[in-house]
Amino acid sequence: MAEAGRIILNTTFLPSLHSLHKTHRKVSYSQPFLHKRHPAIQCSISTSSDTKAAAKVSDTVPWGCDIDSVENAEALQKWLSDSGLPPQKMGIQKVEVGERGLVALKNIRKGEMLLFVPPSLVIDADSEWSCPEAGEVLKQYSVPDWPLLATYLISEASFEKSSRWSNYISALPRQPYSLLYWTRAELDTYLEASRIRERAIERITNVSGTYNDLRLRIFSKHPHLFPEEVFNMESFKWSFGILFSRLVRLPSMDERVALVPWADMLNHSCEVETFLDYDKSSKGVVFTTDRPYQPGEQVFISYGRKSNGELLLSYGFVPREGTNPSDSVELSLSLKKSDKCYKEKLEALKKHGLSASQCYPLQVTGWPLELMAYAYLAVSPPSMSRQFEEMAAAASNKTTTNKNIAYPDIEEQALQFILDSCESSISKYTKFLQASGSMDLDVTSPKQLNRRLFLKQLAVDLCNSESRILFRAQYVLRRRLRDIRSGELRGLKIFSGFRNFFG
């Protein structure tokens, strides 16, 4: 729920703690993060040699549940009701999409407000600690909300039944669904073709760096409050996995980030456009339905307009191919070092916060103007050096300059440059998919799968969806190049706004 309450992901989310003593506690990450966990996938962990790393996590983190069962969620529901959660029109049941989900118990109208989780049942930076001394220490160091909540979750989990949140923590997955739990070898093997691999590696590195900063600057100085057998890398990987997949930002509560028990049982649908927020009139966290539901129907919420890669990154699932209208793939473009004007072009890019290699999103419907501007710069000859600055500015999404630039004399070369980049990416996907063979496993019932097959199927699903977009872009680029070369489009401005393939 960034601005409108939706989830926004960005891998540069973890603030450095090198100057914790100067940072106000309410300062959050560079991008807001939201909601919930993956809707359906639970992977059984085998004990074969290729799953030892994952099995170690379950052995190291003693809290949470191995399986998203209805039973442990029902215990959570009872505790929430006893703690002040009002009667609901939804109940936890076993569902087709997901091990469990919230299902309508009564007729629900379009536009109806549901949930009403009171602030007393919301976990945020001001929540009371079972160990008040630990909370005071973190406040003294002005730890930002994300690492504060990650530490709080571990602390409360370690108190087990003594924590007021024990029922909630018991219902959380012991191994959250995210790429944090993929080993480097698994990322390299299964996601070599996708740019999400780099995003996952960066996220893992940032989580490790944040934990190490906390350990060196705080935990090591207060070992009686933060013993290493509890506050270690594995437990922080778990807590950050929970935050990535469940944390919400509530605009009406001053953009506060929080965990909302019960609400995070809602599963995701790409077709839904509804999100969580705090309602001041009812004094509870709610969401407004964008469609009616009949008794027995699963109620869904949106995790935001995310690509399949982003959904896999945080939630550990990939929607079926063609079902996600927000799907995209990142296309990498790079200046050629053999370019006579390489240094001049690189300087122009750096001036606008860009580098020699940039990634731009391709959607099945088109691509942004910034991509075309970068392509113009990449192919422009020395005679156009006066335009380098203009092209670099238009290639950056950090500037408000006119991006709708056109250079008819190098249009063909720019389009060919993009096409070459598409075909280079396609070759990587094709190589992986051909090596993987035909796979059509049901990852919504992964208890029947071992880890290797489970991850491989997810990777195949992602690569199929991303390569589909690249193939569509390839087709459009070839068609436009053919038209330009035949003289039909020469001199016309091809791109306007976010270029639609079908325009």
Side-chain angles (χ1 to χ4, degrees), residues 206-305:
N206 286 338
V207 169
S208 298
T210 297
Y211 163 69
N212 286 329
D213 274 340
L214 287 170
R215 179 176 57 83
L216 291 173
R217 299 180 181 277
I218 302 176
F219 299 164
S220 62
K221 297 177 182 179
H222 305 275
H224 62 293
L225 297 176
F226 306 101
E228 190 171 0
E229 58 267 24
V230 174
F231 298 88
N232 51 53
M233 188 62 245
E234 293 302 334
S235 61
F236 268 84
K237 186 189 296 185
W238 171 80
S239 63
F240 270 107
I242 295 297
L243 296 184
F244 281 127
S245 59
R246 293 171 179 260
L247 199 67
V248 301
R249 185 177 293 275
L250 303 171
S252 298
M253 292 185 74
D254 299 322
E255 297 294 329
R256 181 172 300 187
V257 291
L259 292 168
V260 185
W262 179 253
D264 57 10
M265 294 294 168
L266 286 161
N267 290 324
H268 169 76
S269 171
C270 296
E271 299 176 353
V272 170
E273 291 286 339
T274 188
F275 47 86
L276 297 176
D277 196 5
Y278 177 73
D279 179 61
K280 294 180 180 179
S281 60
S282 60
K283 298 182 179 179
V285 176
V286 303
F287 77 96
T288 304
T289 59
D290 63 352
R291 65 199 59 205
Y293 292 95
Q294 300 296 319
E297 285 188 304
Q298 183 175 183
V299 180
F300 293 99
I301 199 168
S302 172
Y303 299 170
R305 295 179 178 177

Side-chain angles (χ1 to χ4, degrees), residues 127-415:
S127 293
E128 184 178 347
W129 291 63
S130 294
C131 178
E133 294 85 355
E136 286 301 318
V137 166
L138 294 186
K139 291 177 182 178
Q140 289 171 12
Y141 280 87
S142 300
V143 175
D145 286 354
W146 269 71
L148 177 73
L149 287 172
T151 308
Y152 177 82
L153 202 57
I154 296 169
S155 179
E156 294 303 304
S158 69
F159 275 85
E160 299 180 341
K161 295 295 183 180
S162 299
S163 169
R164 69 171 298 226
W165 302 109
S166 62
N167 291 86
Y168 175 60
I169 293 170
S170 295
L172 294 174
R174 182 167 295 184
Q175 180 173 325
Y177 312 97
S178 78
L179 293 185
L180 282 177
Y181 281 87
W182 290 39
T183 66
R184 181 59 182 268
E186 289 165 347
L187 291 170
D188 292 344
T189 301
Y190 298 125
L191 296 179
E192 181 182 7
S194 177
R195 297 292 303 181
I196 288 297
R197 170 183 169 275
E198 283 73 23
R199 296 269 298 275
I201 292 172
E202 182 180 2
R203 177 168 291 186
I204 292 169
T205 300
N206 286 338
V207 169
S208 298
T210 297
Y211 163 69
N212 286 329
D213 274 340
L214 287 170
R215 179 176 57 83
L216 291 173
R217 299 180 181 277
I218 302 176
F219 299 164
S220 62
K221 297 177 182 179
H222 305 275
H224 62 293
L225 297 176
F226 306 101
E228 190 171 0
E229 58 267 24
V230 174
F231 298 88
N232 51 53
M233 188 62 245
E234 293 302 334
S235 61
F236 268 84
K237 186 189 296 185
W238 171 80
S239 63
F240 270 107
I242 295 297
L243 296 184
F244 281 127
S245 59
R246 293 171 179 260
L247 199 67
V248 301
R249 185 177 293 275
L250 303 171
S252 298
M253 292 185 74
D254 299 322
E255 297 294 329
R256 181 172 300 187
V257 291
L259 292 168
V260 185
W262 179 253
D264 57 10
M265 294 294 168
L266 286 161
N267 290 324
H268 169 76
S269 171
C270 296
E271 299 176 353
V272 170
E273 291 286 339
T274 188
F275 47 86
L276 297 176
D277 196 5
Y278 177 73
D279 179 61
K280 294 180 180 179
S281 60
S282 60
K283 298 182 179 179
V285 176
V286 303
F287 77 96
T288 304
T289 59
D290 63 352
R291 65 199 59 205
Y293 292 95
Q294 300 296 319
E297 285 188 304
Q298 183 175 183
V299 180
F300 293 99
I301 199 168
S302 172
Y303 299 170
R305 295 179 178 177
K306 301 189 176 311
S307 69
N308 287 0
E310 290 172 324
L311 291 171
L312 176 60
L313 180 64
S314 287
Y315 308 106
F317 73 97
V318 178
R320 291 193 179 278
E321 186 177 351
T323 63
N324 183 5
S326 299
D327 197 14
S328 65
V329 59
E330 291 185 353
L331 179 66
S332 179
L333 304 179
S334 299
L335 295 179
K336 293 182 179 179
K337 290 189 176 181
S338 59
D339 191 325
K340 294 180 180 180
C341 299
Y342 177 83
K343 290 184 178 180
E344 292 86 347
K345 292 178 181 180
L346 180 57
E347 287 179 4
L349 288 170
K350 286 183 176 180
K351 186 175 180 180
H352 294 280
L354 303 177
S355 62
S357 295
Q358 286 297 131
C359 290
Y360 294 96
L362 288 181
Q363 290 187 329
V364 73
T365 52
W367 54 71
L369 281 171
E370 289 87 348
L371 181 150
M372 193 64 188
Y374 189 100
Y376 278 136
L377 179 64
V379 303
S380 56
S383 60
M384 297 184 70
S385 59
R386 292 184 178 180
Q387 282 77 45
F388 288 173
E389 176 74 19
E390 179 185 46
M391 296 175 187
S396 173
N397 59 10
K398 299 177 182 178
T399 64
T400 57
T401 186
N402 176 32
K403 302 178 186 299
N404 197 14
I405 59 176
Y407 301 95
D409 291 342
I410 58 173
E411 190 95 59
E412 180 180 340
Q413 295 96 310
L415 292 173

